[in-house]
mmCIF file of all heavy atoms in Angstrom:
data_model
loop_
_atom_site.group_PDB
_atom_site.id
_atom_site.type_symbol
_atom_site.label_atom_id
_atom_site.label_comp_id
_atom_site.label_asym_id
_atom_site.label_seq_id
_atom_site.Cartn_x
_atom_site.Cartn_y
_atom_site.Cartn_z
ATOM 1 N N LEU O 407 -2.640 -11.782 15.405
ATOM 2 C CA LEU O 407 -2.137 -12.201 14.029
ATOM 3 C C LEU O 407 -0.885 -11.286 13.768
ATOM 4 O O LEU O 407 0.076 -11.882 13.297
ATOM 5 C CB LEU O 407 -3.095 -11.953 13.067
ATOM 6 C CG LEU O 407 -2.780 -12.594 11.674
ATOM 7 C CD1 LEU O 407 -2.742 -14.108 11.608
ATOM 8 C CD2 LEU O 407 -4.073 -12.134 10.645
ATOM 9 N N GLN O 408 -0.941 -10.132 14.138
ATOM 10 C CA GLN O 408 0.282 -9.113 13.984
ATOM 11 C C GLN O 408 1.449 -9.752 14.646
ATOM 12 O O GLN O 408 2.508 -9.756 14.200
ATOM 13 C CB GLN O 408 -0.059 -7.754 14.388
ATOM 14 C CG GLN O 408 0.883 -6.739 14.356
ATOM 15 C CD GLN O 408 0.382 -5.382 14.893
ATOM 16 O OE1 GLN O 408 -0.810 -5.076 14.697
ATOM 17 N NE2 GLN O 408 1.188 -4.514 15.323
ATOM 18 N N GLN O 409 1.251 -10.170 15.954
ATOM 19 C CA GLN O 409 2.252 -10.670 16.678
ATOM 20 C C GLN O 409 2.828 -12.011 16.117
ATOM 21 O O GLN O 409 4.105 -12.176 16.047
ATOM 22 C CB GLN O 409 1.792 -10.906 18.190
ATOM 23 C CG GLN O 409 2.938 -11.430 19.102
ATOM 24 C CD GLN O 409 2.542 -11.462 20.510
ATOM 25 O OE1 GLN O 409 1.317 -11.732 20.765
ATOM 26 N NE2 GLN O 409 3.460 -11.425 21.519
ATOM 27 N N GLN O 410 1.925 -12.842 15.676
ATOM 28 C CA GLN O 410 2.219 -14.184 15.019
ATOM 29 C C GLN O 410 3.094 -13.936 13.942
ATOM 30 O O GLN O 410 4.014 -14.650 13.627
ATOM 31 C CB GLN O 410 0.922 -14.913 14.871
ATOM 32 C CG GLN O 410 1.225 -16.281 14.131
ATOM 33 C CD GLN O 410 -0.113 -16.811 13.676
ATOM 34 O OE1 GLN O 410 -1.148 -16.518 14.235
ATOM 35 N NE2 GLN O 410 -0.093 -17.709 12.606
ATOM 36 N N TRP O 411 2.737 -12.971 13.153
ATOM 37 C CA TRP O 411 3.490 -12.705 11.804
ATOM 38 C C TRP O 411 4.823 -11.854 11.984
ATOM 39 O O TRP O 411 5.460 -11.541 11.013
ATOM 40 C CB TRP O 411 2.479 -12.138 10.769
ATOM 41 C CG TRP O 411 1.580 -13.134 10.283
ATOM 42 C CD1 TRP O 411 1.686 -14.542 10.357
ATOM 43 C CD2 TRP O 411 0.439 -12.806 9.365
ATOM 44 N NE1 TRP O 411 0.492 -15.076 9.736
ATOM 45 C CE2 TRP O 411 -0.203 -14.085 9.150
ATOM 46 C CE3 TRP O 411 -0.221 -11.714 8.991
ATOM 47 C CZ2 TRP O 411 -1.306 -14.274 8.250
ATOM 48 C CZ3 TRP O 411 -1.264 -11.726 8.154
ATOM 49 C CH2 TRP O 411 -1.911 -13.000 7.826
ATOM 50 N N GLY O 412 5.089 -11.495 13.145
ATOM 51 C CA GLY O 412 6.425 -10.858 13.431
ATOM 52 C C GLY O 412 6.457 -9.316 13.233
ATOM 53 O O GLY O 412 7.541 -8.833 13.162
ATOM 54 N N VAL O 413 5.380 -8.694 13.393
ATOM 55 C CA VAL O 413 5.387 -7.200 13.262
ATOM 56 C C VAL O 413 5.805 -6.682 14.720
ATOM 57 O O VAL O 413 5.265 -7.250 15.629
ATOM 58 C CB VAL O 413 3.858 -6.700 12.958
ATOM 59 C CG1 VAL O 413 3.980 -5.200 12.910
ATOM 60 C CG2 VAL O 413 3.544 -7.266 11.555
ATOM 61 N N PRO O 414 6.582 -5.799 14.749
ATOM 62 C CA PRO O 414 6.971 -5.301 16.075
ATOM 63 C C PRO O 414 5.824 -4.951 17.007
ATOM 64 O O PRO O 414 4.947 -4.442 16.565
ATOM 65 C CB PRO O 414 7.912 -4.096 15.848
ATOM 66 C CG PRO O 414 8.358 -4.341 14.466
ATOM 67 C CD PRO O 414 7.304 -4.987 13.696
ATOM 68 N N ASP O 415 6.013 -5.251 18.302
ATOM 69 C CA ASP O 415 4.922 -4.901 19.375
ATOM 70 C C ASP O 415 4.700 -3.345 19.335
ATOM 71 O O ASP O 415 5.660 -2.747 19.299
ATOM 72 C CB ASP O 415 5.438 -5.274 20.685
ATOM 73 C CG ASP O 415 5.359 -6.893 20.910
ATOM 74 O OD1 ASP O 415 4.735 -7.401 20.204
ATOM 75 O OD2 ASP O 415 6.077 -7.295 21.893
ATOM 76 N N GLY O 416 3.487 -2.994 19.377
ATOM 77 C CA GLY O 416 3.041 -1.699 19.490
ATOM 78 C C GLY O 416 2.811 -0.893 18.174
ATOM 79 O O GLY O 416 2.268 0.101 18.224
ATOM 80 N N PHE O 417 3.406 -1.463 17.144
ATOM 81 C CA PHE O 417 3.186 -0.754 15.924
ATOM 82 C C PHE O 417 1.725 -0.855 15.361
ATOM 83 O O PHE O 417 0.958 -1.822 15.622
ATOM 84 C CB PHE O 417 4.024 -1.544 14.824
ATOM 85 C CG PHE O 417 5.480 -1.020 14.773
ATOM 86 C CD1 PHE O 417 6.298 -1.004 16.007
ATOM 87 C CD2 PHE O 417 6.061 -0.633 13.576
ATOM 88 C CE1 PHE O 417 7.579 -0.633 15.829
ATOM 89 C CE2 PHE O 417 7.434 -0.196 13.504
ATOM 90 C CZ PHE O 417 8.106 -0.110 14.716
ATOM 91 N N ILE O 418 1.270 0.172 14.778
ATOM 92 C CA ILE O 418 -0.120 0.333 14.436
ATOM 93 C C ILE O 418 -0.255 0.314 12.771
ATOM 94 O O ILE O 418 0.611 0.829 12.109
ATOM 95 C CB ILE O 418 -0.771 1.617 14.933
ATOM 96 C CG1 ILE O 418 0.108 2.794 14.426
ATOM 97 C CG2 ILE O 418 -0.920 1.650 16.368
ATOM 98 C CD1 ILE O 418 -0.545 4.124 14.713
ATOM 99 N N ALA O 419 -1.276 -0.330 12.350
ATOM 100 C CA ALA O 419 -1.489 -0.446 10.912
ATOM 101 C C ALA O 419 -1.955 0.942 10.397
ATOM 102 O O ALA O 419 -2.888 1.415 10.950
ATOM 103 C CB ALA O 419 -2.435 -1.459 10.523
ATOM 104 N N VAL O 420 -1.320 1.492 9.401
ATOM 105 C CA VAL O 420 -1.854 2.804 8.807
ATOM 106 C C VAL O 420 -2.612 2.552 7.464
ATOM 107 O O VAL O 420 -3.494 3.369 7.123
ATOM 108 C CB VAL O 420 -0.494 3.642 8.571
ATOM 109 C CG1 VAL O 420 -0.900 4.832 7.821
ATOM 110 C CG2 VAL O 420 0.185 3.962 9.876
ATOM 111 N N GLY O 421 -2.291 1.575 6.755
ATOM 112 C CA GLY O 421 -2.961 1.235 5.472
ATOM 113 C C GLY O 421 -2.141 0.199 4.756
ATOM 114 O O GLY O 421 -1.179 -0.367 5.317
ATOM 115 N N SER O 422 -2.642 -0.058 3.607
ATOM 116 C CA SER O 422 -2.039 -1.159 2.872
ATOM 117 C C SER O 422 -2.139 -0.963 1.313
ATOM 118 O O SER O 422 -2.978 -0.215 0.890
ATOM 119 C CB SER O 422 -2.539 -2.576 3.088
ATOM 120 O OG SER O 422 -4.002 -2.627 2.721
ATOM 121 N N ALA O 423 -1.230 -1.607 0.526
ATOM 122 C CA ALA O 423 -1.292 -1.598 -0.790
ATOM 123 C C ALA O 423 -1.657 -2.976 -1.388
ATOM 124 O O ALA O 423 -1.029 -3.844 -0.992
ATOM 125 C CB ALA O 423 0.052 -1.202 -1.380
ATOM 126 N N ALA O 424 -2.825 -3.089 -2.025
ATOM 127 C CA ALA O 424 -3.169 -4.326 -2.783
ATOM 128 C C ALA O 424 -2.424 -4.235 -4.040
ATOM 129 O O ALA O 424 -2.411 -3.247 -4.796
ATOM 130 C CB ALA O 424 -4.706 -4.335 -2.913
ATOM 131 N N LEU O 425 -1.661 -5.326 -4.325
ATOM 132 C CA LEU O 425 -0.885 -5.284 -5.543
ATOM 133 C C LEU O 425 -1.167 -6.620 -6.400
ATOM 134 O O LEU O 425 -1.310 -7.694 -5.864
ATOM 135 C CB LEU O 425 0.691 -5.301 -5.087
ATOM 136 C CG LEU O 425 0.985 -4.090 -4.259
ATOM 137 C CD1 LEU O 425 2.410 -4.257 -3.730
ATOM 138 C CD2 LEU O 425 0.926 -2.846 -5.026
ATOM 139 N N GLY O 426 -1.054 -6.431 -7.708
ATOM 140 C CA GLY O 426 -1.213 -7.525 -8.603
ATOM 141 C C GLY O 426 -1.239 -7.024 -10.140
ATOM 142 O O GLY O 426 -0.969 -5.988 -10.411
ATOM 143 N N TYR O 427 -1.784 -8.015 -10.909
ATOM 144 C CA TYR O 427 -1.949 -7.705 -12.216
ATOM 145 C C TYR O 427 -3.509 -7.374 -12.433
ATOM 146 O O TYR O 427 -4.437 -8.040 -12.056
ATOM 147 C CB TYR O 427 -1.639 -8.862 -13.182
ATOM 148 C CG TYR O 427 -0.182 -9.191 -13.233
ATOM 149 C CD1 TYR O 427 0.397 -10.117 -12.262
ATOM 150 C CD2 TYR O 427 0.573 -8.485 -14.095
ATOM 151 C CE1 TYR O 427 1.813 -10.263 -12.213
ATOM 152 C CE2 TYR O 427 2.029 -8.819 -14.146
ATOM 153 C CZ TYR O 427 2.634 -9.563 -13.217
ATOM 154 O OH TYR O 427 3.883 -9.769 -13.270
#
Side-chain angles (χ1 to χ4, degrees):
L407 194 59
Q408 178 177 333
Q409 183 177 27
Q410 176 188 336
W411 283 349
V413 176
D415 286 340
F417 276 51
I418 54 169
V420 171
S422 65
L425 302 169
Y427 290 91

